[in-house]
Amino acid sequence: MFKKILIANRGEIALRIIRACKEMGIKTVAVHSTADANSLHVRFADESVCIGPPKSADSYLNVPSIISAAEITDAEAIHPGYGFLAENSSFAEICNSTGIRFIGPSPESIKQMGDKARARETAQKAGAPVLPGSNGVVTEESSAIEIAREIGFPVIVKAAAGGGGKGMRVVMDESSFANAFVMAQTEALASFSNADVYIEKYVLQPRHIEIQIMADEKGNIVYLGERECSIQRRHQKLIEEAPSVIVGEDLRKQMGEMAVAIARSVKYRNAGTIEFLMDEQGKYYFMEMNTRIQVEHPVTEMVTGIDLVKEQIRVAAGLPLSFTQKDIRIKGHSIECRINAEDPEKFTPSPGTITAFNPPGGLGVRVETAAYTQYVIPPYYDSMIAKLVVHAETRDDAIMRMRRALNEFIIEGVKTTIPMHIKILDDAQFQSGDISTKFMERYDNSAK
Ligand code: MV4
């Protein structure tokens, strides 16, 4: 096992990884920007290294600084968390070539799944259902129109290098296609320095359901059930839960085995997530694969009892998974609310000093945060300040527990999304489980 790990991240996920290391008897190295000198991940790590000025590009994305920090502290491995360098295949390659273990999949797997058009083909070859669409990227407007006509409108044009919604255009009919196609290409080029786009049939009111998988280096790959992530706004997830109300045991097994087959076909290792879209008939289609630990991993941990970050570290060290498929049982129900420091009307970040901070507690309540009273939220990074996660026997009980915990959560000095979460949890449609990615449009017309 590793003796020392460097955590190339900040905030709650850095803290989450430090906690796993401590329980495994592994020493930790935090890296931080000058803006984060007083943050908890620095305080709780055994050692810390300042890697640059506030801007992410100069610090948390600064590869030479991070590699140097690992070298001078003798860290044997780097955990990238999520965001920043987590899905950067050249960073993974540089780690491995300097003899530092990247805690994640191989650079080849990251590259293969990072190209969403290629990932679609890979999944299809592995036997996964995909929506009618183009075979790979489409460059010519004239052939794009023909493909769209053949698929049938509505269609969606997506950036091959995308994922978060950038470089994406929904096209309802042929008259607006040519313009939207060029717009998607232009936006893709501006955002990713890559104009490649592909086309898919557009599902009008899909659910976003994803399967967590975990793979070791001995070829063991297991699925840990699904997460329902349909409650989102502007391509940011707001609430995630496990299990999904519409996934029963048979479907879970089917989707799980499908996810494992896709992972196996790219010789995947470490933690990964296969995202599916589900239409109103309950048919599911491969959408993308995320080659990292995700923000919402705790809901899977709550219903399986498995520490996913510890497993990531184990398998990166060459050890086998500590469990097999038949050990996985989904127990109870878990919900996560992402609490952001943002203006509830304008959705703009609300940086500043947290003047009072009282996280909730009690049975079945878990809070993942790096915030504290007098903590100053820097304006340079994303606005998530806490994940509130609950676990209970049933979905109804989990909803009641979440409402109780949200009402107990005191955060003063900055505006937060707590009131929005309370509204969603009080919503009869949410409570009935009748949700889709269009859910938030009822509250907010600009949610698209
Ligand atoms: C889709 C889709 C419907 N049909 N693909 C959103 C994020 C990115 N990962 C893919 N996304 C979607 N892909 C097909 N074939 C619906 C979404 C989607 C969405 C699309 C446009 C505007 C807002 C959206 C919100 C959630 C999901």
Side-chain angles (χ1 to χ4, degrees):
M1 182 46 67
F2 307 119
K3 289 188 189 69
K4 197 190 273 187
I5 292 175
L6 182 143
I7 297 103
N9 215 302
R10 64 183 299 281
E12 67 86 19
I13 192 64
L15 219 46
R16 168 73 188 84
I17 298 160
I18 290 169
R19 286 176 173 142
C21 290
K22 289 199 188 234
E23 291 183 11
M24 295 172 87
I26 299 167
K27 292 266 187 267
T28 53
V29 180
V31 294
H32 67 91
S33 69
T34 52
D36 279 342
N38 294 321
S39 66
L40 286 188
H41 78 282
V42 172
R43 184 155 174 168
F44 289 138
D46 295 295
E47 290 172 73
S48 65
V49 181
C50 181
I51 49 166
K55 282 197 196 126
S56 299
D58 302 323
S59 50
Y60 298 103
L61 293 171
N62 185 336
V63 173
S65 269
I66 293 167
I67 298 291
S68 305
E71 283 175 341
I72 59 173
T73 56
D74 279 323
E76 302 153 83
I78 295 182
H79 196 308
Y82 54 71
F84 295 125
L85 297 167
E87 290 175 283
N88 184 318
S89 62
S90 25
F91 177 65
E93 215 162 271
I94 290 165
C95 287
N96 295 341
S97 69
T98 47
I100 301 163
R101 197 77 170 120
F102 176 80
I103 302 176
S106 69
E108 293 70 35
S109 291
I110 298 174
K111 225 180 280 169
Q112 186 159 5
M113 291 304 178
D115 178 335
K116 308 299 174 187
R118 200 174 147 205
R120 194 182 122 92
E121 290 182 278
T122 302
Q124 191 169 21
K125 280 205 191 94
V130 297
L131 284 154
S134 58
N135 294 316
V137 303
V138 190
T139 40
E140 293 306 319
E141 192 183 302
S142 55
S143 55
I145 291 188
E146 268 178 56
I147 292 164
R149 219 181 264 141
E150 203 163 305
I151 295 167
F153 288 90
V155 299
I156 183 167
V157 185
K158 293 180 174 182
K166 269 198 188 134
M168 213 164 72
R169 282 288 182 286
V170 176
V171 192
M172 295 312 288
D173 54 60
E174 194 171 328
S175 67
S176 48
F177 183 82
N179 193 38
F181 180 74
V182 175
M183 291 280 280
Q185 285 181 318
T186 306
E187 200 175 302
L189 183 64
S191 306
F192 315 110
S193 314
N194 177 355
D196 287 352
V197 297
Y198 63 106
I199 306 169
E200 264 183 359
K201 178 87 185 173
Y202 182 63
V203 181
L204 282 164
Q205 289 203 34
R207 284 175 183 259
H208 173 137
I209 295 174
E210 56 186 34
I211 305 285
Q212 177 71 54
I213 62 120
M214 198 68 227
D216 65 20
E217 292 176 11
K218 330 242 172 227
N220 302 303
I221 311 183
V222 301
Y223 60 90
L224 293 102
E226 77 285 359
R227 292 184 288 259
E228 160 86 59
C229 307
S230 296
I231 306 293
Q232 58 82 46
R233 185 177 67 190
R234 299 152 179 251
H235 306 294
Q236 295 286 358
K237 292 169 186 165
L238 303 173
I239 298 180
E240 304 95 348
E241 56 183 305
S244 164
V245 292
I246 55 152
V247 178
E249 262 183 62
D250 291 352
L251 184 56
R252 179 170 304 119
K253 183 162 189 279
Q254 217 186 97
M255 293 178 81
E257 286 175 355
M258 189 46 59
V260 167
I262 294 166
R264 197 174 299 288
S265 79
V266 297
K267 298 187 166 61
Y268 198 81
R269 61 166 198 244
N270 217 281
T273 299
I274 317 275
E275 297 184 347
F276 293 98
L277 273 185
M278 191 176 280
D279 67 17
E280 279 151 294
Q281 285 82 254
K283 282 192 280 190
Y284 64 90
Y285 305 93
F286 170 85
M287 188 163 54
E288 340 184 323
M289 180 169 189
N290 299 320
T291 57
R292 60 170 189 275
I293 191 78
Q294 288 190 261
V295 174
E296 61 271 27
H297 76 275
V299 296
T300 299
E301 296 185 323
M302 301 309 271
V303 297
T304 60
I306 285 166
D307 186 321
L308 290 169
V309 176
K310 282 187 185 171
E311 291 300 323
Q312 284 193 289
I313 296 168
R314 274 181 67 89
V315 302
L319 294 171
L321 286 171
S322 68
F323 56 88
T324 65
Q325 191 63 58
K326 66 173 172 29
D327 300 322
I328 304 296
R329 211 149 274 127
I330 306 299
K331 188 173 171 285
H333 198 94
S334 181
I335 303 176
E336 172 179 279
C337 288
R338 297 189 188 190
I339 296 167
N340 289 353
E342 68 182 34
D343 188 300
E345 264 85 59
K346 290 174 273 174
F347 311 123
T348 51
S350 176
T353 303
I354 296 178
T355 53
F357 191 77
N358 178 68
L363 183 64
V365 175
R366 170 177 175 186
V367 181
E368 295 286 340
T369 184
Y372 53 86
T373 300
Q374 295 300 28
Y375 175 68
V376 182
I377 303 168
Y380 310 102
Y381 315 108
D382 84 31
S383 59
M384 193 176 74
I385 46 172
K387 301 190 301 204
L388 176 53
V389 186
V390 301
H391 183 243
E393 201 132 319
T394 67
R395 185 171 187 268
D396 287 349
D397 292 341
I399 290 172
M400 289 302 280
R401 183 161 279 166
M402 182 62 89
R403 291 160 90 185
R404 184 272 286 175
L406 283 165
N407 281 295
E408 219 174 285
F409 211 148
I410 298 171
I411 304 176
E412 283 169 4
V414 296
K415 290 176 178 162
T416 79
T417 51
I418 290 176
M420 175 202 70
H421 285 299
I422 293 172
K423 247 195 264 174
I424 298 170
L425 285 149
D426 285 345
D427 184 290
Q429 202 177 325
F430 176 81
Q431 289 174 2
S432 74
D434 175 21
I435 54 180
S436 81
T437 58
K438 301 279 179 193
F439 182 87
M440 288 305 289
E441 291 180 26
R442 284 176 38 244
Y443 287 97
D444 159 25
N445 252 324
S446 67
K448 293 178 217 179

